Amino acid sequence: MAQILMQGTNLVNTMGRFVYVAEGNKGLEAVAVAERDDPPAIFGSDLHKLAYPEDYKKLVDKKHRELEEADHHAGNVLDLQLRGEYLYAAQGKDGFRVYDVANIENKNFSEKITTAPASPLGQRFYVKTKNATAIASPSTLAVDPLRTRVPGNQEQPIALMYGFLYVTDAEEGLVVIGEPDLKAKRPGVLTLLDGDPTNNFLKRATTFNPNGALNGARRITIAGTFAYILTPTGLVVVDIANPLSPKITAQVALPEPTGVAVQFRYAFMTDADGFHVFDITHPETPRRVPEATISLPDARNVYVARTYAYVAGGKEGVVIIDVERPEKPFIYEKFNGEGEINDTHDVKVATTNASLIGYVADGKNGLVVLDRKSTRLN
């Protein structure tokens, strides 16, 4: 096991050498989980053992194999999304903010996570909302729908929705972030992509909450041109093909939903009853698969990679569900590291530097890094 102890670790987002963790009212952490040198092996992995035997031995000799390097930034961070050199954060009553993490690996900077690398006169990297709960970007790539396309390359148009960010707010519903004037030089949040440091001013493009349908919105996942938004009473599907004029296409009642992940033709969800599968062949109108339900007592979120769904199972740790046949899922394994993983809020899985790694936000126990190929603690 590789672990860094951080109280209230709720959500995790990964990128290469660093894992970014939302800690609620304690702020956020950028945790180094890999060697700086090449090959950048994940600490505690088999590659780490082979490439850095001395460092590996020092790690495994420690109690719980605690990680040591992390950069902290104070604040109230409920959800985060990394894209390039920017970290987007939903901050509750403080609204939405963009952190600059371009210098996270630069030893010459004392503050490696910044809210204002330039004067406030030259940028505004935040948008005030009443109670921001989650943030989603349609892609982790910096997709520019307005870039010049070369006809000879037969490039297809890029949907305008890729130029905006989407924030759920418990009081306001869905808040779309970006310049609303489509005739502006860089509408949406494309101002962050143009290399010009003088125009980084973010705006609220629109707010969407018809008849209070998105009251209490707490989580958002984007697939195609649809946003799948969770509220205390269920799932709301929102068409964001035109980000300045969203529209609801479906509402599905669920008891206290906690997580949603989309892969191909299926949406996988967790709620107070456990794990569920929805057929989204028609993404605007999900169809529940009644026989594809697994009872779980404390499911808090879900992440899907290939043929497995990884459920943050709270007191049960990580629940791994086989979804190779999505309409006939079954529990493949429950893993709690002999009881050490018992407050799981979120889990991400990634092939990182030749290792299949799981990153677990385990609440009171901190961030835990797992070797997925054998489902063992690193």
Side-chain angles (χ1 to χ4, degrees), residues 70 86 135 172 183 188 190 202 204 234 301 336 349 353 363 366 376:
Y86 297 116
I135 169 68
E172 298 189 70
K183 294 181 180 180
L190 301 179
L202 298 181
R204 178 194 295 247
N301 206 349
N336 64 10
V349 175
N353 305 323
R376 64 174 172 80

Side-chain angles (χ1 to χ4, degrees), residues 263-268 275-282 285-294 304 306-309 321-331:
Q263 182 171 265
F264 304 125
R265 293 174 44 240
Y266 293 92
F268 304 89
F275 174 83
H276 311 279
V277 178
F278 286 79
D279 184 323
I280 57 168
T281 302
H282 302 286
T285 53
R287 178 186 65 84
R288 187 167 185 167
V289 182
E291 61 274 20
T293 294
I294 296 176
V304 178
R306 297 182 180 179
T307 60
Y308 294 97
I321 297 175
D322 189 312
V323 292
E324 183 173 6
R325 293 190 295 171
E327 299 196 5
K328 294 184 178 181
F330 62 90
I331 294 177

